[in-house]
Amino acid sequence: MPDLILHHYPMSPFSEKVRAVLGFKKLAWQSVLIPTVMPKPDLLTLTGGYRKTPVLQIGADIYCDTALICDVLEHIQPSPTLYPAGQKGLARTLAQWADSTLFWAAMGYNLQKPGMAELFAGLPIDAIKAFAADRSAMAQGLNRPRPLDAMGAYKSYLRRMADMLDGQDFLLGEAPCIADFAAYHPLWFTRTQVPGMAGILQATPEVLGWLDRMAALGHGQMSRMTAAEAIAVCADAPAATGVTDDYFQDDHGIALGSLVSVSAESFGAEPTVGELVAATRTRFTLRRRDARAGVVQVHFPRVGYALKQELAT
C-alpha cells in the first residue's frame, strides 16, 4: 500500500469528499494542511501552478482534481467500490452533475452574507476580504447563480435527492458510490460549516438521514505531516511511477515529449506547464522539475481540463 498524502484544509468541501472516500475505503493517509487562499508556495512547488484543493501525493506523483483522485483511490483499494457494476456510467454522470451544478447552487446559498459571517466569525475583516478576493479571482468567467436563484435551485435539488433516497439508503442503492460522495460534500458544508444556514435541509428528512450515514463512514486513519516533509518525500522518491497505461490517445496533434500546459476549463484555471509524458483515455500527465521537489509527475483528468502546446524557451 503506497503512502497517501493529502494536501487540504479542514473547511474545504472537495477535501471532505476525498476524506469521506478515504473513510469508506478504510485507508490510512497523511494530512498536510495548506492555506485557504493564495499564496500557496509549498503546494505550487509540487503542482507547478494548479492551486485548487485538495491534491493527492504519492511519492513524486501529484494527482489533481477529486474525480481523478477518486479513480486513483479505487485502483489502490478496489473494495468497497465507488463504481458499482452496471451503474458505472450513471454513477460518474451523476457525480459530475453534483460536483458542478449541485455544488454551485449549494455554495451560492451557503455563502450569502449570513453564511459568510458565520464562517468567518471572529476573524479580522482583512481575512474575509482576502478570501472573497481569492475566490472571485478563481471564478473569473464562471457563470454562477445569484443567491436567491441558488437557493431555489438548491431546494429543488434536495427534493430530487430525497426522491432518489426513497426506499434506499444511498443515491443508487444500498451502498454508497461516487455519486454519493460528490453530492455529499456541498451539503456537508451547509450542515457543518454554516449551520445557521442548515434549515434548508429540514424539509427533506430523507436527505438528513443520508447525511448521517455518509458522516458515519469517517475519514480513515489520519496522521500529520508538514509541507516540508511532503516535499522531501517527493524529492527522495526514486522515480515517479504513476503512469501505468502506455496507451496514447492523441486528440490534439501534440506529440509526447512536447512542452505543454494543462489548465481547468472553468474555476481555478491557473496552468501547469511541463513535458507531456502521457495522454491516456482518462488523463494527462506532465513531467516537471523543481529545485525543491525534484522530478515531479503531475496528473490531470481529461474531462474538465484543457491541453495546450507551449513554445519552448
Side-chain angles (χ1 to χ4, degrees):
M1 182 71 67
D3 289 338
L4 306 175
I5 304 171
L6 188 69
H7 300 257
H8 68 123
Y9 58 85
M11 75 172 185
S12 162
F14 277 97
S15 295
E16 180 62 17
K17 174 186 175 182
V18 174
R19 293 187 296 250
V21 170
L22 290 163
F24 175 57
K25 290 183 173 290
K26 296 181 171 58
L27 289 167
W29 57 286
Q30 301 190 73
S31 165
V32 176
L33 296 180
I34 64 175
T36 60
V37 300
M38 293 290 271
K40 303 181 180 185
D42 292 325
L43 181 67
L44 268 58
T45 287
L46 296 171
T47 68
Y50 181 87
R51 52 76 49 94
K52 293 196 287 186
T53 308
V55 164
L56 178 68
Q57 176 187 353
I58 303 176
D61 287 287
I62 307 300
Y63 298 93
C64 303
D65 195 279
T66 59
L68 177 56
I69 290 171
C70 288
D71 283 353
V72 171
L73 295 178
E74 178 80 358
H75 178 76
I76 290 169
Q77 183 69 283
S79 181
T81 185
L82 293 170
Y83 309 103
Q87 295 183 308
K88 292 180 181 179
L90 175 60
R92 287 186 183 275
T93 301
L94 183 56
Q96 188 176 9
W97 165 82
D99 277 338
S100 54
T101 304
L102 173 63
F103 174 80
W104 286 115
M107 298 310 286
Y109 168 79
N110 291 333
L111 297 181
Q112 296 179 75
K113 287 183 179 179
M116 287 286 286
E118 186 173 25
L119 188 63
F120 294 105
L123 292 180
I125 189 65
D126 287 348
I128 301 172
K129 289 181 177 179
F131 179 87
D134 184 82
R135 294 309 189 266
S136 178
M138 290 181 73
Q140 285 186 7
L142 182 67
N143 186 20
R144 293 178 292 175
R146 296 179 179 179
L148 295 181
D149 296 323
M151 179 169 61
Y154 195 16
K155 288 178 178 178
S156 292
Y157 298 150
L158 289 170
R159 290 194 297 269
R160 294 178 191 180
M161 290 178 63
D163 184 66
M164 295 179 70
L165 291 163
D166 186 17
Q168 59 188 31
D169 284 344
F170 298 97
L171 293 177
L172 294 183
E174 296 311 310
C177 68
I178 189 61
D180 291 277
F181 293 97
Y184 171 64
H185 65 92
L187 277 64
W188 164 88
F189 193 95
T190 305
R191 198 183 203 190
T192 67
Q193 304 303 299
V194 288
M197 305 291 288
I200 197 170
L201 303 172
Q202 297 302 314
T204 50
E206 299 90 346
V207 172
L208 287 172
W210 169 81
L211 281 168
D212 289 339
R213 290 188 287 276
M214 293 297 294
L217 297 172
H219 289 162
Q221 297 81 50
M222 183 196 76
S223 57
R224 300 287 186 185
M225 176 179 277
T226 68
E229 289 170 337
I231 292 169
V233 166
C234 185
D236 292 342
T241 58
V243 176
T244 57
D245 183 351
D246 60 4
Y247 176 85
F248 177 42
Q249 180 172 311
D250 181 15
D251 295 329
H252 297 77
I254 301 175
L256 296 180
S258 299
L259 184 68
V260 299
S261 64
V262 174
S263 56
E265 292 176 342
S266 56
F267 188 67
E270 292 84 354
T272 292
V273 176
E275 176 192 355
L276 182 67
V277 295
T280 72
R281 296 174 179 87
T282 60
R283 72 178 73 171
F284 301 119
T285 300
L286 276 58
R287 180 178 294 140
R288 48 181 302 274
R289 289 165 176 80
D290 181 89
R292 296 172 64 199
V295 178
V296 189
Q297 284 191 163
V298 190
H299 307 264
F300 298 89
R302 275 185 178 264
V303 174
Y305 288 80
L307 177 71
K308 179 182 176 183
Q309 188 157 14
E310 298 288 328
L311 296 176
T313 57

